[in-house]
Amino acid sequence: LGVDGYWINSAYQFSLLQANLLVHTPWITPGGIDWKLGMWPTLEGAEVIDPAGNLFYSHSYIFNFPEPFNDFGVLAITHINPTVDIYTAVSSGQQTTLVPYVGDNNSAPAFEGGIGLNKLFGGAVTVLASTHIGPENPFLAFGQPANTHLNYENDIVVTWTATDKITIIGEGNYTLYSLN
């Protein structure tokens, strides 16, 4: 929606994965705040868009359907200390831009955020709990404008590096699509 689409006459298309301005502000907290302005891959999920970064080359069902691929807006990652990171973002929604009717199907913003816990249990465990809340229905649902129905996409990923050759990843999802 407004990012890319149908650049060539084929079922296979080019897609822009991310385009953003990164800024690190080293004040307020000991670790500072990292800012992203533009488009970034979503916080939700253990898998990444490029399959080379995943355990298996194919993607899971949960990756392809309820999880967003990317967001467009402003993201702040506040490094409270070496263990705790707070993620806060305001975006135009999933797979879209800031332009209503060209990109976004409504003029309502979405929220994405969460908490990251790093280097737990001697550095072997990390946890990222995140959520995306916003009006993401691509149509007028039951005669009502698309921006009146909030979707809730919640995700938690726990990564345990058991040894230098064994890493175990667990992911839990709770998604609610609101129709009224």
Side-chain angles (χ1 to χ4, degrees), residues 40-45 67-77 86-94 109-115 128-134 136 153 155:
W40 65 88
T42 186
L43 300 175
E44 286 76 44
E67 290 180 358
F69 289 133
N70 54 32
D71 295 289
F72 192 97
V74 177
L75 169 66
I77 304 169
I86 303 293
Y87 296 78
T88 310
V90 175
S91 74
S92 61
Q94 304 168 358
F111 169 80
E112 187 170 30
I115 184 167
L128 177 60
S130 60
T131 187
H132 181 103
I133 303 168
E136 306 301 341
E153 296 158 345
D155 188 77

PDB file of all heavy atoms in Angstrom, residues 40-45 67-77 86-94 109-115 128-134 136 153 155:
ATOM      1  N   TRP A  40      10.829   0.142   8.824  1.00  0.00           N
ATOM      2  CA  TRP A  40      11.682  -0.845   9.477  1.00  0.00           C
ATOM      3  C   TRP A  40      10.933  -2.175   9.557  1.00  0.00           C
ATOM      4  O   TRP A  40       9.708  -2.202   9.565  1.00  0.00           O
ATOM      5  CB  TRP A  40      12.091  -0.378  10.880  1.00  0.00           C
ATOM      6  CG  TRP A  40      10.943  -0.251  11.830  1.00  0.00           C
ATOM      7  CD1 TRP A  40      10.426  -1.240  12.629  1.00  0.00           C
ATOM      8  CD2 TRP A  40      10.136   0.906  12.075  1.00  0.00           C
ATOM      9  NE1 TRP A  40       9.358  -0.757  13.356  1.00  0.00           N
ATOM     10  CE2 TRP A  40       9.166   0.552  13.032  1.00  0.00           C
ATOM     11  CE3 TRP A  40      10.139   2.212  11.576  1.00  0.00           C
ATOM     12  CZ2 TRP A  40       8.202   1.447  13.491  1.00  0.00           C
ATOM     13  CZ3 TRP A  40       9.198   3.090  12.041  1.00  0.00           C
ATOM     14  CH2 TRP A  40       8.244   2.719  12.990  1.00  0.00           C
ATOM     15  N   PRO A  41      11.667  -3.307   9.639  1.00  0.00           N
ATOM     16  CA  PRO A  41      11.013  -4.598   9.842  1.00  0.00           C
ATOM     17  C   PRO A  41      10.324  -4.636  11.199  1.00  0.00           C
ATOM     18  O   PRO A  41      10.801  -4.056  12.167  1.00  0.00           O
ATOM     19  CB  PRO A  41      12.162  -5.608   9.795  1.00  0.00           C
ATOM     20  CG  PRO A  41      13.255  -4.904   9.072  1.00  0.00           C
ATOM     21  CD  PRO A  41      13.102  -3.449   9.411  1.00  0.00           C
ATOM     22  N   THR A  42       9.232  -5.338  11.272  1.00  0.00           N
ATOM     23  CA  THR A  42       8.438  -5.401  12.488  1.00  0.00           C
ATOM     24  C   THR A  42       9.209  -5.964  13.679  1.00  0.00           C
ATOM     25  O   THR A  42      10.180  -6.696  13.514  1.00  0.00           O
ATOM     26  CB  THR A  42       7.177  -6.259  12.245  1.00  0.00           C
ATOM     27  OG1 THR A  42       6.345  -6.197  13.407  1.00  0.00           O
ATOM     28  CG2 THR A  42       7.545  -7.699  11.978  1.00  0.00           C
ATOM     29  N   LEU A  43       8.762  -5.621  14.861  1.00  0.00           N
ATOM     30  CA  LEU A  43       9.339  -6.165  16.088  1.00  0.00           C
ATOM     31  C   LEU A  43       8.817  -7.571  16.370  1.00  0.00           C
ATOM     32  O   LEU A  43       9.475  -8.365  17.035  1.00  0.00           O
ATOM     33  CB  LEU A  43       8.983  -5.276  17.283  1.00  0.00           C
ATOM     34  CG  LEU A  43       9.439  -3.827  17.252  1.00  0.00           C
ATOM     35  CD1 LEU A  43       8.887  -3.081  18.456  1.00  0.00           C
ATOM     36  CD2 LEU A  43      10.940  -3.747  17.204  1.00  0.00           C
ATOM     37  N   GLU A  44       7.616  -7.883  15.883  1.00  0.00           N
ATOM     38  CA  GLU A  44       6.975  -9.151  16.201  1.00  0.00           C
ATOM     39  C   GLU A  44       7.617 -10.303  15.427  1.00  0.00           C
ATOM     40  O   GLU A  44       7.925 -10.184  14.253  1.00  0.00           O
ATOM     41  CB  GLU A  44       5.474  -9.106  15.873  1.00  0.00           C
ATOM     42  CG  GLU A  44       4.663  -8.305  16.844  1.00  0.00           C
ATOM     43  CD  GLU A  44       4.816  -6.811  16.654  1.00  0.00           C
ATOM     44  OE1 GLU A  44       4.787  -6.333  15.519  1.00  0.00           O
ATOM     45  OE2 GLU A  44       4.992  -6.125  17.667  1.00  0.00           O
ATOM     46  N   GLY A  45       7.775 -11.428  16.124  1.00  0.00           N
ATOM     47  CA  GLY A  45       8.195 -12.664  15.486  1.00  0.00           C
ATOM     48  C   GLY A  45       9.655 -13.023  15.667  1.00  0.00           C
ATOM     49  O   GLY A  45      10.514 -12.173  15.829  1.00  0.00           O
ATOM     50  N   GLU A  67       1.405 -11.870  11.540  1.00  0.00           N
ATOM     51  CA  GLU A  67       2.470 -10.935  11.902  1.00  0.00           C
ATOM     52  C   GLU A  67       2.697  -9.914  10.788  1.00  0.00           C
ATOM     53  O   GLU A  67       2.719 -10.266   9.615  1.00  0.00           O
ATOM     54  CB  GLU A  67       3.779 -11.681  12.168  1.00  0.00           C
ATOM     55  CG  GLU A  67       3.741 -12.495  13.429  1.00  0.00           C
ATOM     56  CD  GLU A  67       5.044 -13.238  13.685  1.00  0.00           C
ATOM     57  OE1 GLU A  67       5.968 -13.150  12.859  1.00  0.00           O
ATOM     58  OE2 GLU A  67       5.118 -13.903  14.724  1.00  0.00           O
ATOM     59  N   PRO A  68       2.885  -8.653  11.164  1.00  0.00           N
ATOM     60  CA  PRO A  68       3.202  -7.653  10.147  1.00  0.00           C
ATOM     61  C   PRO A  68       4.618  -7.860   9.609  1.00  0.00           C
ATOM     62  O   PRO A  68       5.460  -8.445  10.285  1.00  0.00           O
ATOM     63  CB  PRO A  68       3.090  -6.322  10.898  1.00  0.00           C
ATOM     64  CG  PRO A  68       3.245  -6.674  12.328  1.00  0.00           C
ATOM     65  CD  PRO A  68       2.784  -8.077  12.496  1.00  0.00           C
ATOM     66  N   PHE A  69       4.872  -7.407   8.383  1.00  0.00           N
ATOM     67  CA  PHE A  69       6.227  -7.479   7.821  1.00  0.00           C
ATOM     68  C   PHE A  69       7.042  -6.249   8.199  1.00  0.00           C
ATOM     69  O   PHE A  69       8.168  -6.336   8.623  1.00  0.00           O
ATOM     70  CB  PHE A  69       6.201  -7.603   6.301  1.00  0.00           C
ATOM     71  CG  PHE A  69       5.723  -8.936   5.813  1.00  0.00           C
ATOM     72  CD1 PHE A  69       4.796  -9.017   4.810  1.00  0.00           C
ATOM     73  CD2 PHE A  69       6.209 -10.111   6.361  1.00  0.00           C
ATOM     74  CE1 PHE A  69       4.361 -10.237   4.349  1.00  0.00           C
ATOM     75  CE2 PHE A  69       5.779 -11.345   5.912  1.00  0.00           C
ATOM     76  CZ  PHE A  69       4.851 -11.404   4.893  1.00  0.00           C
ATOM     77  N   ASN A  70       6.468  -5.071   7.987  1.00  0.00           N
ATOM     78  CA  ASN A  70       7.201  -3.843   8.310  1.00  0.00           C
ATOM     79  C   ASN A  70       6.237  -2.734   8.677  1.00  0.00           C
ATOM     80  O   ASN A  70       5.047  -2.832   8.466  1.00  0.00           O
ATOM     81  CB  ASN A  70       8.133  -3.431   7.171  1.00  0.00           C
ATOM     82  CG  ASN A  70       7.441  -3.294   5.849  1.00  0.00           C
ATOM     83  OD1 ASN A  70       6.275  -2.927   5.781  1.00  0.00           O
ATOM     84  ND2 ASN A  70       8.138  -3.578   4.773  1.00  0.00           N
ATOM     85  N   ASP A  71       6.808  -1.679   9.248  1.00  0.00           N
ATOM     86  CA  ASP A  71       6.044  -0.503   9.683  1.00  0.00           C
ATOM     87  C   ASP A  71       6.705   0.746   9.135  1.00  0.00           C
ATOM     88  O   ASP A  71       7.891   0.743   8.807  1.00  0.00           O
ATOM     89  CB  ASP A  71       6.002  -0.438  11.210  1.00  0.00           C
ATOM     90  CG  ASP A  71       5.237  -1.590  11.810  1.00  0.00           C
ATOM     91  OD1 ASP A  71       4.004  -1.608  11.662  1.00  0.00           O
ATOM     92  OD2 ASP A  71       5.858  -2.462  12.436  1.00  0.00           O
ATOM     93  N   PHE A  72       5.934   1.828   9.082  1.00  0.00           N
ATOM     94  CA  PHE A  72       6.438   3.108   8.594  1.00  0.00           C
ATOM     95  C   PHE A  72       6.059   4.181   9.610  1.00  0.00           C
ATOM     96  O   PHE A  72       4.887   4.348   9.925  1.00  0.00           O
ATOM     97  CB  PHE A  72       5.820   3.441   7.230  1.00  0.00           C
ATOM     98  CG  PHE A  72       6.492   4.577   6.534  1.00  0.00           C
ATOM     99  CD1 PHE A  72       7.457   4.329   5.571  1.00  0.00           C
ATOM    100  CD2 PHE A  72       6.175   5.883   6.841  1.00  0.00           C
ATOM    101  CE1 PHE A  72       8.089   5.366   4.919  1.00  0.00           C
ATOM    102  CE2 PHE A  72       6.803   6.927   6.199  1.00  0.00           C
ATOM    103  CZ  PHE A  72       7.762   6.673   5.237  1.00  0.00           C
ATOM    104  N   GLY A  73       7.047   4.867  10.162  1.00  0.00           N
ATOM    105  CA  GLY A  73       6.783   5.892  11.166  1.00  0.00           C
ATOM    106  C   GLY A  73       8.036   6.235  11.940  1.00  0.00           C
ATOM    107  O   GLY A  73       9.116   6.362  11.363  1.00  0.00           O
ATOM    108  N   VAL A  74       7.893   6.352  13.272  1.00  0.00           N
ATOM    109  CA  VAL A  74       9.007   6.683  14.158  1.00  0.00           C
ATOM    110  C   VAL A  74       9.096   5.618  15.246  1.00  0.00           C
ATOM    111  O   VAL A  74       8.107   5.318  15.911  1.00  0.00           O
ATOM    112  CB  VAL A  74       8.818   8.070  14.806  1.00  0.00           C
ATOM    113  CG1 VAL A  74       9.948   8.368  15.772  1.00  0.00           C
ATOM    114  CG2 VAL A  74       8.698   9.145  13.760  1.00  0.00           C
ATOM    115  N   LEU A  75      10.297   5.048  15.420  1.00  0.00           N
ATOM    116  CA  LEU A  75      10.554   4.032  16.430  1.00  0.00           C
ATOM    117  C   LEU A  75      11.661   4.517  17.351  1.00  0.00           C
ATOM    118  O   LEU A  75      12.690   4.989  16.880  1.00  0.00           O
ATOM    119  CB  LEU A  75      10.978   2.714  15.769  1.00  0.00           C
ATOM    120  CG  LEU A  75      11.547   1.605  16.672  1.00  0.00           C
ATOM    121  CD1 LEU A  75      10.485   1.086  17.632  1.00  0.00           C
ATOM    122  CD2 LEU A  75      12.100   0.472  15.828  1.00  0.00           C
ATOM    123  N   ALA A  76      11.431   4.406  18.664  1.00  0.00           N
ATOM    124  CA  ALA A  76      12.451   4.735  19.663  1.00  0.00           C
ATOM    125  C   ALA A  76      12.766   3.482  20.467  1.00  0.00           C
ATOM    126  O   ALA A  76      11.860   2.821  20.975  1.00  0.00           O
ATOM    127  CB  ALA A  76      11.965   5.839  20.590  1.00  0.00           C
ATOM    128  N   ILE A  77      14.054   3.155  20.567  1.00  0.00           N
ATOM    129  CA  ILE A  77      14.499   2.036  21.396  1.00  0.00           C
ATOM    130  C   ILE A  77      15.311   2.651  22.537  1.00  0.00           C
ATOM    131  O   ILE A  77      16.421   3.137  22.323  1.00  0.00           O
ATOM    132  CB  ILE A  77      15.351   1.035  20.606  1.00  0.00           C
ATOM    133  CG1 ILE A  77      14.583   0.534  19.379  1.00  0.00           C
ATOM    134  CG2 ILE A  77      15.752  -0.131  21.509  1.00  0.00           C
ATOM    135  CD1 ILE A  77      15.428  -0.253  18.407  1.00  0.00           C
ATOM    136  N   ILE A  86      13.336  -0.592  26.071  1.00  0.00           N
ATOM    137  CA  ILE A  86      11.923  -0.273  25.877  1.00  0.00           C
ATOM    138  C   ILE A  86      11.742   0.185  24.428  1.00  0.00           C
ATOM    139  O   ILE A  86      12.434   1.090  23.966  1.00  0.00           O
ATOM    140  CB  ILE A  86      11.443   0.840  26.832  1.00  0.00           C
ATOM    141  CG1 ILE A  86      11.692   0.453  28.297  1.00  0.00           C
ATOM    142  CG2 ILE A  86       9.981   1.184  26.584  1.00  0.00           C
ATOM    143  CD1 ILE A  86      10.872  -0.711  28.778  1.00  0.00           C
ATOM    144  N   TYR A  87      10.794  -0.439  23.722  1.00  0.00           N
ATOM    145  CA  TYR A  87      10.498  -0.124  22.326  1.00  0.00           C
ATOM    146  C   TYR A  87       9.180   0.643  22.265  1.00  0.00           C
ATOM    147  O   TYR A  87       8.180   0.201  22.827  1.00  0.00           O
ATOM    148  CB  TYR A  87      10.352  -1.402  21.507  1.00  0.00           C
ATOM    149  CG  TYR A  87      11.613  -2.223  21.407  1.00  0.00           C
ATOM    150  CD1 TYR A  87      12.028  -3.036  22.463  1.00  0.00           C
ATOM    151  CD2 TYR A  87      12.380  -2.195  20.259  1.00  0.00           C
ATOM    152  CE1 TYR A  87      13.183  -3.790  22.368  1.00  0.00           C
ATOM    153  CE2 TYR A  87      13.539  -2.947  20.162  1.00  0.00           C
ATOM    154  CZ  TYR A  87      13.935  -3.746  21.215  1.00  0.00           C
ATOM    155  OH  TYR A  87      15.080  -4.486  21.120  1.00  0.00           O
ATOM    156  N   THR A  88       9.177   1.775  21.582  1.00  0.00           N
ATOM    157  CA  THR A  88       7.973   2.588  21.433  1.00  0.00           C
ATOM    158  C   THR A  88       7.935   3.142  20.020  1.00  0.00           C
ATOM    159  O   THR A  88       8.914   3.740  19.569  1.00  0.00           O
ATOM    160  CB  THR A  88       7.973   3.765  22.430  1.00  0.00           C
ATOM    161  OG1 THR A  88       8.261   3.271  23.736  1.00  0.00           O
ATOM    162  CG2 THR A  88       6.641   4.473  22.440  1.00  0.00           C
ATOM    163  N   ALA A  89       6.809   2.946  19.333  1.00  0.00           N
ATOM    164  CA  ALA A  89       6.701   3.436  17.960  1.00  0.00           C
ATOM    165  C   ALA A  89       5.292   3.920  17.661  1.00  0.00           C
ATOM    166  O   ALA A  89       4.317   3.389  18.178  1.00  0.00           O
ATOM    167  CB  ALA A  89       7.077   2.347  16.965  1.00  0.00           C
ATOM    168  N   VAL A  90       5.222   4.915  16.805  1.00  0.00           N
ATOM    169  CA  VAL A  90       3.970   5.357  16.202  1.00  0.00           C
ATOM    170  C   VAL A  90       4.159   5.182  14.707  1.00  0.00           C
ATOM    171  O   VAL A  90       5.140   5.661  14.139  1.00  0.00           O
ATOM    172  CB  VAL A  90       3.645   6.826  16.545  1.00  0.00           C
ATOM    173  CG1 VAL A  90       2.404   7.284  15.819  1.00  0.00           C
ATOM    174  CG2 VAL A  90       3.489   6.994  18.046  1.00  0.00           C
ATOM    175  N   SER A  91       3.234   4.457  14.096  1.00  0.00           N
ATOM    176  CA  SER A  91       3.375   4.191  12.668  1.00  0.00           C
ATOM    177  C   SER A  91       2.052   4.394  11.955  1.00  0.00           C
ATOM    178  O   SER A  91       1.003   4.530  12.575  1.00  0.00           O
ATOM    179  CB  SER A  91       3.876   2.763  12.439  1.00  0.00           C
ATOM    180  OG  SER A  91       2.859   1.827  12.683  1.00  0.00           O
ATOM    181  N   SER A  92       2.131   4.381  10.631  1.00  0.00           N
ATOM    182  CA  SER A  92       0.925   4.486   9.825  1.00  0.00           C
ATOM    183  C   SER A  92       0.234   3.144   9.691  1.00  0.00           C
ATOM    184  O   SER A  92      -0.866   3.068   9.174  1.00  0.00           O
ATOM    185  CB  SER A  92       1.267   5.035   8.439  1.00  0.00           C
ATOM    186  OG  SER A  92       2.162   4.157   7.796  1.00  0.00           O
ATOM    187  N   GLY A  93       0.883   2.092  10.138  1.00  0.00           N
ATOM    188  CA  GLY A  93       0.289   0.756  10.058  1.00  0.00           C
ATOM    189  C   GLY A  93       1.243  -0.231   9.436  1.00  0.00           C
ATOM    190  O   GLY A  93       2.430   0.034   9.298  1.00  0.00           O
ATOM    191  N   GLN A  94       0.708  -1.354   9.035  1.00  0.00           N
ATOM    192  CA  GLN A  94       1.522  -2.428   8.481  1.00  0.00           C
ATOM    193  C   GLN A  94       1.593  -2.339   6.959  1.00  0.00           C
ATOM    194  O   GLN A  94       0.591  -2.110   6.297  1.00  0.00           O
ATOM    195  CB  GLN A  94       0.912  -3.777   8.851  1.00  0.00           C
ATOM    196  CG  GLN A  94       0.731  -3.962  10.315  1.00  0.00           C
ATOM    197  CD  GLN A  94      -0.139  -5.158  10.616  1.00  0.00           C
ATOM    198  OE1 GLN A  94      -0.624  -5.824   9.731  1.00  0.00           O
ATOM    199  NE2 GLN A  94      -0.341  -5.422  11.892  1.00  0.00           N
ATOM    200  N   PRO A 109      -3.347   6.428  13.287  1.00  0.00           N
ATOM    201  CA  PRO A 109      -2.024   5.836  13.538  1.00  0.00           C
ATOM    202  C   PRO A 109      -2.131   4.490  14.258  1.00  0.00           C
ATOM    203  O   PRO A 109      -3.170   4.142  14.808  1.00  0.00           O
ATOM    204  CB  PRO A 109      -1.346   6.872  14.434  1.00  0.00           C
ATOM    205  CG  PRO A 109      -2.482   7.516  15.160  1.00  0.00           C
ATOM    206  CD  PRO A 109      -3.635   7.537  14.192  1.00  0.00           C
ATOM    207  N   ALA A 110      -1.031   3.777  14.254  1.00  0.00           N
ATOM    208  CA  ALA A 110      -0.920   2.506  14.979  1.00  0.00           C
ATOM    209  C   ALA A 110       0.199   2.641  16.009  1.00  0.00           C
ATOM    210  O   ALA A 110       1.072   3.503  15.886  1.00  0.00           O
ATOM    211  CB  ALA A 110      -0.621   1.365  14.014  1.00  0.00           C
ATOM    212  N   PHE A 111       0.173   1.777  17.016  1.00  0.00           N
ATOM    213  CA  PHE A 111       1.210   1.739  18.046  1.00  0.00           C
ATOM    214  C   PHE A 111       1.943   0.416  17.940  1.00  0.00           C
ATOM    215  O   PHE A 111       1.336  -0.636  17.733  1.00  0.00           O
ATOM    216  CB  PHE A 111       0.596   1.859  19.441  1.00  0.00           C
ATOM    217  CG  PHE A 111       1.566   1.554  20.550  1.00  0.00           C
ATOM    218  CD1 PHE A 111       2.476   2.514  20.960  1.00  0.00           C
ATOM    219  CD2 PHE A 111       1.590   0.310  21.162  1.00  0.00           C
ATOM    220  CE1 PHE A 111       3.394   2.235  21.966  1.00  0.00           C
ATOM    221  CE2 PHE A 111       2.495   0.018  22.169  1.00  0.00           C
ATOM    222  CZ  PHE A 111       3.397   0.988  22.573  1.00  0.00           C
ATOM    223  N   GLU A 112       3.252   0.477  18.085  1.00  0.00           N
ATOM    224  CA  GLU A 112       4.053  -0.741  18.197  1.00  0.00           C
ATOM    225  C   GLU A 112       5.032  -0.516  19.332  1.00  0.00           C
ATOM    226  O   GLU A 112       5.642   0.543  19.429  1.00  0.00           O
ATOM    227  CB  GLU A 112       4.789  -1.046  16.898  1.00  0.00           C
ATOM    228  CG  GLU A 112       5.478  -2.391  16.931  1.00  0.00           C
ATOM    229  CD  GLU A 112       6.012  -2.825  15.588  1.00  0.00           C
ATOM    230  OE1 GLU A 112       6.371  -1.965  14.772  1.00  0.00           O
ATOM    231  OE2 GLU A 112       6.082  -4.035  15.368  1.00  0.00           O
ATOM    232  N   GLY A 113       5.157  -1.499  20.193  1.00  0.00           N
ATOM    233  CA  GLY A 113       6.066  -1.328  21.315  1.00  0.00           C
ATOM    234  C   GLY A 113       6.303  -2.620  22.049  1.00  0.00           C
ATOM    235  O   GLY A 113       5.733  -3.653  21.716  1.00  0.00           O
ATOM    236  N   GLY A 114       7.165  -2.535  23.047  1.00  0.00           N
ATOM    237  CA  GLY A 114       7.443  -3.726  23.828  1.00  0.00           C
ATOM    238  C   GLY A 114       8.617  -3.536  24.763  1.00  0.00           C
ATOM    239  O   GLY A 114       9.126  -2.425  24.955  1.00  0.00           O
ATOM    240  N   ILE A 115       9.043  -4.647  25.323  1.00  0.00           N
ATOM    241  CA  ILE A 115      10.166  -4.642  26.246  1.00  0.00           C
ATOM    242  C   ILE A 115      11.114  -5.778  25.853  1.00  0.00           C
ATOM    243  O   ILE A 115      10.680  -6.873  25.534  1.00  0.00           O
ATOM    244  CB  ILE A 115       9.703  -4.775  27.714  1.00  0.00           C
ATOM    245  CG1 ILE A 115      10.884  -4.657  28.671  1.00  0.00           C
ATOM    246  CG2 ILE A 115       8.920  -6.056  27.930  1.00  0.00           C
ATOM    247  CD1 ILE A 115      10.489  -4.455  30.118  1.00  0.00           C
ATOM    248  N   LEU A 128      11.969 -10.893  24.068  1.00  0.00           N
ATOM    249  CA  LEU A 128      11.363  -9.709  23.480  1.00  0.00           C
ATOM    250  C   LEU A 128       9.859  -9.915  23.470  1.00  0.00           C
ATOM    251  O   LEU A 128       9.352 -10.831  22.814  1.00  0.00           O
ATOM    252  CB  LEU A 128      11.862  -9.430  22.062  1.00  0.00           C
ATOM    253  CG  LEU A 128      11.207  -8.233  21.361  1.00  0.00           C
ATOM    254  CD1 LEU A 128      11.442  -6.930  22.138  1.00  0.00           C
ATOM    255  CD2 LEU A 128      11.706  -8.101  19.940  1.00  0.00           C
ATOM    256  N   ALA A 129       9.145  -9.098  24.234  1.00  0.00           N
ATOM    257  CA  ALA A 129       7.684  -9.108  24.253  1.00  0.00           C
ATOM    258  C   ALA A 129       7.231  -7.836  23.558  1.00  0.00           C
ATOM    259  O   ALA A 129       7.624  -6.736  23.950  1.00  0.00           O
ATOM    260  CB  ALA A 129       7.167  -9.158  25.682  1.00  0.00           C
ATOM    261  N   SER A 130       6.431  -7.984  22.501  1.00  0.00           N
ATOM    262  CA  SER A 130       6.039  -6.807  21.719  1.00  0.00           C
ATOM    263  C   SER A 130       4.578  -6.893  21.316  1.00  0.00           C
ATOM    264  O   SER A 130       3.960  -7.958  21.345  1.00  0.00           O
ATOM    265  CB  SER A 130       6.922  -6.679  20.470  1.00  0.00           C
ATOM    266  OG  SER A 130       6.791  -7.822  19.654  1.00  0.00           O
ATOM    267  N   THR A 131       4.043  -5.744  20.923  1.00  0.00           N
ATOM    268  CA  THR A 131       2.657  -5.668  20.480  1.00  0.00           C
ATOM    269  C   THR A 131       2.533  -4.656  19.354  1.00  0.00           C
ATOM    270  O   THR A 131       3.303  -3.704  19.275  1.00  0.00           O
ATOM    271  CB  THR A 131       1.723  -5.280  21.645  1.00  0.00           C
ATOM    272  OG1 THR A 131       0.364  -5.369  21.201  1.00  0.00           O
ATOM    273  CG2 THR A 131       1.989  -3.875  22.151  1.00  0.00           C
ATOM    274  N   HIS A 132       1.567  -4.896  18.495  1.00  0.00           N
ATOM    275  CA  HIS A 132       1.198  -3.946  17.445  1.00  0.00           C
ATOM    276  C   HIS A 132      -0.307  -3.760  17.568  1.00  0.00           C
ATOM    277  O   HIS A 132      -1.069  -4.729  17.484  1.00  0.00           O
ATOM    278  CB  HIS A 132       1.549  -4.487  16.055  1.00  0.00           C
ATOM    279  CG  HIS A 132       1.205  -3.543  14.955  1.00  0.00           C
ATOM    280  ND1 HIS A 132       2.157  -2.779  14.327  1.00  0.00           N
ATOM    281  CD2 HIS A 132       0.032  -3.197  14.403  1.00  0.00           C
ATOM    282  CE1 HIS A 132       1.571  -2.023  13.419  1.00  0.00           C
ATOM    283  NE2 HIS A 132       0.282  -2.267  13.458  1.00  0.00           N
ATOM    284  N   ILE A 133      -0.733  -2.521  17.805  1.00  0.00           N
ATOM    285  CA  ILE A 133      -2.151  -2.216  17.980  1.00  0.00           C
ATOM    286  C   ILE A 133      -2.509  -1.121  16.995  1.00  0.00           C
ATOM    287  O   ILE A 133      -1.921  -0.036  17.014  1.00  0.00           O
ATOM    288  CB  ILE A 133      -2.463  -1.737  19.416  1.00  0.00           C
ATOM    289  CG1 ILE A 133      -2.031  -2.794  20.430  1.00  0.00           C
ATOM    290  CG2 ILE A 133      -3.944  -1.411  19.557  1.00  0.00           C
ATOM    291  CD1 ILE A 133      -2.037  -2.303  21.865  1.00  0.00           C
ATOM    292  N   GLY A 134      -3.447  -1.415  16.117  1.00  0.00           N
ATOM    293  CA  GLY A 134      -3.831  -0.395  15.157  1.00  0.00           C
ATOM    294  C   GLY A 134      -4.968  -0.843  14.260  1.00  0.00           C
ATOM    295  O   GLY A 134      -5.289  -2.020  14.183  1.00  0.00           O
ATOM    296  N   GLU A 136      -5.987  -1.996  11.132  1.00  0.00           N
ATOM    297  CA  GLU A 136      -5.301  -2.568   9.979  1.00  0.00           C
ATOM    298  C   GLU A 136      -6.227  -3.253   8.990  1.00  0.00           C
ATOM    299  O   GLU A 136      -5.775  -3.930   8.079  1.00  0.00           O
ATOM    300  CB  GLU A 136      -4.239  -3.570  10.448  1.00  0.00           C
ATOM    301  CG  GLU A 136      -3.260  -3.014  11.445  1.00  0.00           C
ATOM    302  CD  GLU A 136      -2.475  -1.813  10.949  1.00  0.00           C
ATOM    303  OE1 GLU A 136      -2.396  -1.587   9.721  1.00  0.00           O
ATOM    304  OE2 GLU A 136      -1.938  -1.092  11.789  1.00  0.00           O
ATOM    305  N   GLU A 153      -1.933  -7.484  17.862  1.00  0.00           N
ATOM    306  CA  GLU A 153      -0.994  -8.546  17.517  1.00  0.00           C
ATOM    307  C   GLU A 153       0.113  -8.552  18.564  1.00  0.00           C
ATOM    308  O   GLU A 153       0.946  -7.648  18.594  1.00  0.00           O
ATOM    309  CB  GLU A 153      -0.455  -8.323  16.114  1.00  0.00           C
ATOM    310  CG  GLU A 153      -1.561  -8.411  15.088  1.00  0.00           C
ATOM    311  CD  GLU A 153      -1.257  -7.720  13.779  1.00  0.00           C
ATOM    312  OE1 GLU A 153      -0.323  -6.920  13.713  1.00  0.00           O
ATOM    313  OE2 GLU A 153      -1.987  -7.995  12.835  1.00  0.00           O
ATOM    314  N   ASP A 155       3.189 -10.642  20.729  1.00  0.00           N
ATOM    315  CA  ASP A 155       4.196 -11.658  20.444  1.00  0.00           C
ATOM    316  C   ASP A 155       5.230 -11.669  21.555  1.00  0.00           C
ATOM    317  O   ASP A 155       5.572 -10.624  22.104  1.00  0.00           O
ATOM    318  CB  ASP A 155       4.869 -11.310  19.106  1.00  0.00           C
ATOM    319  CG  ASP A 155       5.782 -12.396  18.624  1.00  0.00           C
ATOM    320  OD1 ASP A 155       5.274 -13.394  18.108  1.00  0.00           O
ATOM    321  OD2 ASP A 155       7.009 -12.237  18.758  1.00  0.00           O
TER     322      ASP A 155
END
